[in-house]
């Protein structure tokens, strides 16, 4: 049985992002379930705002090529998405947009996403915990050929939700986030067998 490979990231660049804390919890749970997890920070990719004229003139920027390379070598995605103005963050949407572009004319459409399985989650100071953003993220991913697990979790009042060590204070919430990651690892193992 092939070890499932999962690419994990948060849709935020903020150093103390609640979603970066959340994705660490999920990544640890996926590793404990037997998956190989690559945790990245979108900030490190230095992705410019998507500009089709710039793409036509210069091709994909190095960060977009790196993201596509990572996605090509991973079976699944773990994404923790902040909610900005009732939707996903511009940072996350921009990364998705760049990864959806072809690096070469003969590359199949949406090759970075097609056949992937994703687990999604969010954390927000608001009362809904980023739930409205997850609705949009699920729709986008589904439309670009990603199978999104039905389980998801939105952590509300995120400014009070985390302990100093980065874990969630509420053990049921912590277990729910871990369960998404474990479920992703299990599904990928079944698909790879």
């Amino acid at each position: 049985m092939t070890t499932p490979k999962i690419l994990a990231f948060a849709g935020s660049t903020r150093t103390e992002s609640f979603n970066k804390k959340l994705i660490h919890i999920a990544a640890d749970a996926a590793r404990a379930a037997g998956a190989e997890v690559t945790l990245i920070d979108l900030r490190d990719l230095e992705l410019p705002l998507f500009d089709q004229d710039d793409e036509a003139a210069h091709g994909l920027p190095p960060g977009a090529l790196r993201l596509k390379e990572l996605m090509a070598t991973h079976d699944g995605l773990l994404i923790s998405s902040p909610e900005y103005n009732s939707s996903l963050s511009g940072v996350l949407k921009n990364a998705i947009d760049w990864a959806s572009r072809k690096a070469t004319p003969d590359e199949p459409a949406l090759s970075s996403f097609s056949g992937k399985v994703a687990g999604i989650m969010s954390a927000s100071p608001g009362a809904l915990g980023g739930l409205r953003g997850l609705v949009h993220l699920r729709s986008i991913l589904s439309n670009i050929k990603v199978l999104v697990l039905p389980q998801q979790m939105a952590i509300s009042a995120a400014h009070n939700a985390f302990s100093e060590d980065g874990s969630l204070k509420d053990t049921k919430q912590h277990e729910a986030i871990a369960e998404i990651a474990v479920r992703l690892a299990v599904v990928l193992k079944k698909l790879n067998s």
Side-chain angles (χ1 to χ4, degrees):
M1 183 179 295
T2 306
T3 301
K5 295 182 72 176
I6 297 171
L7 183 63
F9 54 92
S12 175
T13 55
R14 188 170 64 88
T15 302
E16 293 298 318
S17 164
F18 303 125
N19 286 280
K20 285 183 180 179
K21 292 178 182 180
L22 204 60
I23 203 66
H24 277 278
I25 294 168
D28 288 345
R31 286 185 189 107
E36 181 182 325
V37 180
T38 304
L39 184 61
I40 63 169
D41 189 329
L42 293 180
R43 173 186 275 174
D44 295 337
L45 297 176
E46 298 180 348
L47 293 169
L49 287 175
F50 178 72
D51 179 335
Q52 198 165 354
D53 289 338
D54 188 59
E55 178 194 20
H58 306 291
L60 270 63
L65 291 170
R66 178 66 183 136
L67 179 58
K68 286 175 68 65
E69 288 169 7
L70 286 165
M71 292 179 81
T73 59
H74 289 78
D75 311 302
L77 305 170
L78 272 173
I79 304 173
S80 188
S81 175
E83 180 182 304
Y84 290 6
N85 300 310
S86 304
S87 190
L88 64 160
S89 68
V91 167
L92 180 53
K93 181 63 167 65
N94 192 53
I96 291 170
D97 289 345
W98 274 119
S100 73
R101 305 302 290 178
K102 292 182 176 188
T104 62
D106 59 336
E107 179 183 325
L110 299 172
S111 64
S112 296
F113 296 98
S114 184
K116 300 284 190 265
V117 182
I120 61 174
M121 61 205 68
S122 64
S124 172
L128 297 178
L131 185 61
R132 293 172 297 194
L134 289 182
V135 171
H136 292 173
L137 179 59
R138 178 179 295 279
S139 176
I140 291 166
L141 292 175
S142 296
N143 283 327
I144 56 175
K145 303 182 179 184
V146 176
L147 174 64
V148 185
L149 296 178
Q151 302 95 324
Q152 63 182 33
M153 186 67 186
I155 306 296
S156 60
H159 55 293
N160 293 320
F162 292 90
S163 301
E164 285 188 25
D165 66 359
S167 64
L168 285 162
K169 294 176 184 176
D170 184 324
T171 55
K172 288 184 179 178
Q173 287 181 335
H174 196 96
E175 289 168 3
I177 294 299
E179 176 57 28
I180 293 168
V182 170
R183 177 61 50 200
L184 179 60
V186 167
V187 167
L188 291 172
K189 283 179 186 177
K190 287 180 178 178
L191 290 173
N192 290 341
S193 64

